[in-house]
Amino acid sequence: MKYTEEHEWLRVEGDLVVVGITEHAATQLGDVVFVELPETETMVAAGDEVVVIESVKAASDILAPVDGEIVAVNAKLVDNPGLVNEDPTGAAWFFKMKLDDLSVLDQFMDEDEYNDLIG
Amino acid sequence: MSDLKRLGLHDLHVELGGRMVPFAGYEMPVQYPAGVMKEHLQTRAAAGLFDVSHMGQVILRPKQGMEALCLGFEALMPVDVLGLAQGRQRYGLFTSETGGILDDLMFANRGDHLFVVVNAACKEADVAHMRAHLGDVAEVEFIADRALVALQGPAAEAALGSLVPEVAAMRFMDVGVFGWQGAEVWVSRSGYTGEDGYEISVPEAVAEGFVRALLACDGVMPIGLGARDSLRLEAGLCLYGHDIDTTTSPVEAGLTWAIQKARRAGGARAGGFPGAERILRELAEGPERCRVGLRPEGRAPMREGVELFATDGTPLGKVTSGGFGPSVEAPVAMGYVPASYAKTGTAIEGEVRGKRLPVAVAEMPFNPTTYKR
């Protein structure tokens, strides 16, 4: 698992990368009440706002961590946004991306580095 | 947070895991480890304990008798003060010369004086306002040595009653002065959640012990500002500085129930308060715009500042408070629209992140109130 400074986790699954938010991010956000997902088969660039999350407190975005194509989204989150708080690193993944080259993920933090960041 | 004042119960909030944030010049707990959603639902299901010691507590002691004091206070508000019975509390509003709202407040007739509770952000201005206008009829005494806590929800009566048995017999908006372990506690059966419950002023010196005793009662959980806001929003209650301010009149804000007959046209003491011309005119002719409840059709919350439009694109106004209602299990909001769009069920739109989304004008409260009348 890799981690971004935006508190996303990235997990490689075959030739795809699965994106979600960390436990730390979910706790900071508070109870999530609304999730808006991107369209599939969309090309996005690193830094694009692709997901909107609203918690009881505020709205925030999830950014595309790298360039690539959104190939799948987790529609379960639309009906059950609370899943983000219950299982942020498992069932509550947000989207899957197809990248040209998975080696771009090397730039991101590993678990120890991420734990230092939030420590 | 060095410029911020600390509550007397600060250390207790930290011990309970409260996340402290700046609010109205104070460090206040926005939530505890349970989080906003659970705190909100706990208050509706059992009982929530809120520290509202940041609010201003003021005693008005008469210099020339209670009648002169009540009449003097009436000159600041479109409210019947003289007719308030001893042992009762009423909602009031200081109005401006142009008919806007300077602050909203609660006042109680405690026999030989009035007890007033005002908003934290306005308390210095309110005290100055009262000293400037009530100097001949009242001693304006700012109470700085008492904490103020609210206990709200269906389990509130049993919990507070185990400490102060007299409170069980109180009805909504009754006030009383009782004893707890030798200290004087000032209790009103009221609150800001739409639930039955109490607001209790206790001497700072015993406040921590009192709050710990309440927290030890069945079903009582500490509640932060986050849930306080979602609870009052579901109850359709205004937050000063957001839903009401110096630009909104009490009539526009839908607070006409707070303007008793005695102060209206034809009443025993009609007019004679700041902004009477506008307020009485709006009572007679209807206001140009109205505060309304709003129910977004989708799941996306419409928060403060969201712009409202008619379905033909005409700009209507703005959301003044909005978010997710944990008990309603859907987004809820309130805001101002022209009177012609204020009818319940009117379909309008709110712009969220550049998209116009459907929202309906709705009845308030969004969640039924459970006051013990």
Side-chain angles (χ1 to χ4, degrees):
Chain A
M1 200 105 107
K2 290 287 195 177
Y3 298 86
T4 74
E5 287 183 1
E6 310 289 336
H7 306 284
E8 293 154 299
W9 54 258
L10 315 173
R11 192 176 62 226
V12 174
E13 202 178 88
D15 62 343
L16 303 180
V17 55
V18 188
V19 181
I21 65 167
T22 64
E23 187 113 35
H24 172 79
T27 304
Q28 291 298 313
L29 276 173
D31 305 295
V32 173
V33 296
F34 173 77
V35 172
E36 189 174 272
L37 296 167
E39 301 280 324
T40 52
E41 297 172 32
T42 339
M43 298 302 296
V44 295
D48 285 357
E49 295 164 1
V50 285
V51 174
V52 177
I53 308 182
E54 297 236 19
S55 75
V56 284
K57 283 178 258 174
S60 42
D61 300 304
I62 297 184
L63 310 180
V66 290
D67 299 349
E69 182 187 1
I70 306 276
V71 293
V73 295
N74 187 358
K76 267 191 223 155
L77 298 181
V78 174
D79 294 327
N80 184 13
L83 206 54
V84 177
N85 300 102
E86 286 159 30
D87 192 9
T89 53
W93 59 275
F94 282 87
F95 55 88
K96 299 182 183 183
M97 291 180 75
K98 193 170 185 177
L99 316 187
D100 290 340
D101 177 5
L102 285 171
S103 71
V104 295
L105 299 181
D106 295 345
Q107 63 179 298
F108 296 110
M109 290 174 275
D110 63 23
E111 190 167 353
D112 286 345
E113 289 167 323
Y114 180 70
N115 285 335
D116 286 345
L117 176 81
I118 61 171
Chain B
M1 296 205 269
S2 57
D3 295 345
L4 296 169
K5 286 177 270 192
R6 284 195 167 178
L7 301 166
L9 296 169
H10 181 92
D11 292 350
L12 179 60
H13 295 309
V14 171
E15 180 190 316
L16 294 169
R19 190 187 296 171
M20 307 304 281
V21 300
F23 180 83
Y26 285 82
E27 276 183 69
M28 299 283 293
V30 66
Q31 65 164 81
Y32 296 89
V36 176
M37 192 89 87
K38 285 203 182 79
E39 290 172 27
H40 177 115
L41 296 172
Q42 175 77 12
T43 305
R44 296 249 188 265
L49 182 83
F50 307 73
D51 182 4
V52 289
S53 304
H54 60 311
M55 298 185 79
Q57 304 179 62
V58 180
I59 283 182
L60 303 178
R61 289 194 197 282
K63 284 180 175 173
Q64 308 170 28
M66 279 298 277
E67 184 171 336
L69 168 58
C70 292
L71 291 174
F73 206 33
E74 282 196 353
L76 303 180
M77 309 195 288
V79 175
D80 179 359
V81 180
L82 194 60
L84 181 66
Q86 184 173 337
R88 295 286 295 164
Q89 175 176 270
R90 192 165 268 179
Y91 178 76
L93 316 131
F94 288 144
T95 47
S96 71
E97 289 302 329
T98 53
I101 301 172
L102 299 176
D103 197 10
D104 65 341
L105 54 98
M106 286 288 189
F107 66 97
N109 178 347
R110 296 210 309 205
D112 60 357
H113 65 270
L114 297 177
F115 176 56
V116 184
V117 178
V118 300
N119 283 305
C122 304
K123 64 185 179 186
E124 274 93 22
D126 288 340
V127 167
H129 185 61
M130 288 187 278
R131 288 198 170 129
H133 293 95
L134 302 176
D136 292 341
V137 293
E139 216 55 81
V140 179
E141 194 180 311
F142 185 75
I143 310 290
D145 58 356
R146 296 183 78 93
L148 189 65
V149 297
L151 185 67
Q152 302 278 293
E157 183 184 290
L160 184 60
S162 71
L163 273 59
V164 184
E166 297 93 328
V167 303
M170 299 174 78
R171 313 295 297 179
F172 182 59
M173 295 295 242
D174 278 350
V175 298
V177 174
F178 307 113
W180 179 74
Q181 296 196 349
E184 200 175 83
V185 294
W186 303 345
V187 182
S188 67
R189 193 154 197 166
S190 55
Y192 194 46
T193 59
E195 296 296 319
D196 178 31
Y198 303 87
E199 292 166 297
I200 313 125
S201 170
V202 290
E204 199 109 86
V206 301
E208 189 183 323
F210 183 76
V211 166
R212 284 187 192 276
L214 284 176
L215 288 172
C217 295
D218 276 349
V220 180
M221 187 188 259
I223 310 296
L225 286 178
R228 181 170 162 81
D229 193 53
S230 55
L231 287 159
R232 70 91 198 167
L233 174 62
E234 282 186 342
L237 298 169
C238 291
L239 175 61
Y240 190 80
H242 299 260
D243 309 302
I244 50 176
D245 59 26
T246 54
T247 69
T248 61
S249 80
V251 185
E252 289 177 333
L255 301 173
T256 51
W257 53 266
I259 308 174
Q260 289 79 17
K261 252 187 208 160
R263 308 305 308 282
R264 297 185 182 211
R269 296 181 308 286
F273 49 84
E277 194 197 338
R278 172 183 175 187
I279 291 167
L280 295 178
R281 188 185 67 236
E282 287 181 353
L283 275 171
E285 297 171 10
E288 279 175 25
R289 56 173 188 160
C290 302
R291 180 176 64 97
V292 293
L294 299 165
R295 287 289 301 263
E297 243 173 56
R299 291 188 66 114
M302 293 191 184
R303 298 181 193 272
E304 181 176 1
V306 162
E307 300 202 47
L308 300 168
F309 297 89
T311 48
D312 67 3
T314 309
L316 299 180
K318 277 184 186 174
V319 169
T320 51
S321 283
F324 184 78
S327 302
V328 177
E329 297 183 323
V332 290
M334 54 175 97
Y336 284 84
V337 296
S340 54
Y341 289 86
K343 204 168 154 250
T344 294
T346 306
I348 61 173
E349 293 176 339
E351 189 168 300
V352 180
R353 290 178 284 272
K355 274 183 256 174
R356 303 267 172 100
L357 303 176
V359 51
V361 173
E363 294 276 2
M364 289 190 285
F366 300 108
N367 190 70
T369 57
T370 58
Y371 304 134
K372 195 130 178 182
R373 294 194 189 266

